[in-house]
Amino acid sequence: AAREQSKLACNEDGDLYLSQSIYECMGETWKIEFLSGELLYVSSVQHDVRLRCDPTGILDPSQNWKGWEVFRFIEAGDGSVYISSWTHYNHYLSSSADGRVFATKKRGVDKKWTVTKAENGKGVVIVSQAHGRALATNGNRLLTADPVTLVDNNEDSEEPSGIWDLVPANRNIFYISSASSNKYIGSIPCKRSGPSDAVTTSKRRAWEQWTFQEADDGAMTLCSTAHQLY
């Protein structure tokens, strides 16, 4: 005999029950919201500051690379994302039609952002889906503005820039170990200026930390974070 299937449902009073109806009804329909997402630093290419949600929940630019500067990018399902503070998990990046940037605890349609590659290829532009304005900073404050007025700024300009780097929260720093021997790749500094030796070790120190960097031809390189050598 065929196994009878039950479907999780909810009635008008908010009570959960298992439905065995062969017909679909609204009570059996669910909306799933993603709570996980990629953890990233949002760093201004031009002004070298990070987006921060400070201990009081205020958004501002920061020169640090700490937990207050980490944000979670959550897919909204339509090509846009919600951007929430990692430390204040229920604080979402929001903006107003007049260019103000702030955090709010309510996640809605007007809190969605689209992330597209900048025309100069040196970062991304983050645009409010509700207002069509791009997230920007002049190094001292956050704002939103017409994307067209932001992406062509000169790199030395003190004017607001809307071009950002999205940097993984681990800043692309990894330990690399052999699956068979559990040994880590490390680097030993030379006494003289020049190449350092790559070795295997059982330790996890700064000398065993590496960053993945993309070369011009698309290949990946390993750079020692301790000695800045490849």
Side-chain angles (χ1 to χ4, degrees), residues 156-187:
D156 297 326
S157 172
E158 295 181 358
E159 295 297 316
S161 170
I163 301 178
W164 303 85
D165 262 341
L166 300 182
V167 182
N170 60 11
R171 300 192 66 185
N172 268 333
I173 300 175
F174 299 92
Y175 292 112
I176 304 173
S177 64
S178 166
S180 59
S181 65
N182 203 32
K183 294 283 187 178
Y184 298 89
I185 300 176
S187 63

Side-chain angles (χ1 to χ4, degrees), residues 6-68:
S6 298
K7 293 171 283 187
L8 182 65
C10 180
N11 63 24
E12 294 180 355
D13 295 326
D15 299 321
L16 293 176
Y17 66 97
L18 293 177
S19 170
Q20 296 179 343
S21 172
I22 61 173
Y23 303 103
E24 290 187 3
C25 64
M26 284 298 297
E28 300 169 359
T29 303
W30 299 88
K31 180 175 70 173
I32 299 176
E33 296 184 44
F34 291 97
L35 294 180
S36 60
E38 190 167 2
L39 295 178
L40 300 167
Y41 290 106
V42 184
S43 181
S44 171
V45 173
Q46 182 166 307
H47 299 290
D48 192 25
V49 292
R50 265 57 62 194
L51 178 64
R52 174 178 67 176
C53 188
D54 74 9
T56 64
I58 302 298
L59 292 177
D60 63 357
S62 166
Q63 295 183 342
N64 296 326
W65 296 86
K66 298 181 179 179
W68 305 112

Side-chain angles (χ1 to χ4, degrees), residues 42-51 61 101 113 118-120 122-127 133-165:
V42 184
S43 181
S44 171
V45 173
Q46 182 166 307
H47 299 290
D48 192 25
V49 292
R50 265 57 62 194
L51 178 64
V101 176
W113 300 81
E119 290 183 4
N120 61 11
K122 294 183 179 180
V124 300
V125 178
I126 303 173
V127 178
R133 297 169 64 93
L135 180 67
T137 183
N138 63 359
N140 297 312
R141 67 185 183 94
L142 298 170
L143 64 150
T144 62
D146 184 343
V148 176
T149 66
L150 296 169
V151 296
D152 294 328
N153 282 344
N154 184 283
E155 291 184 0
D156 297 326
S157 172
E158 295 181 358
E159 295 297 316
S161 170
I163 301 178
W164 303 85
D165 262 341

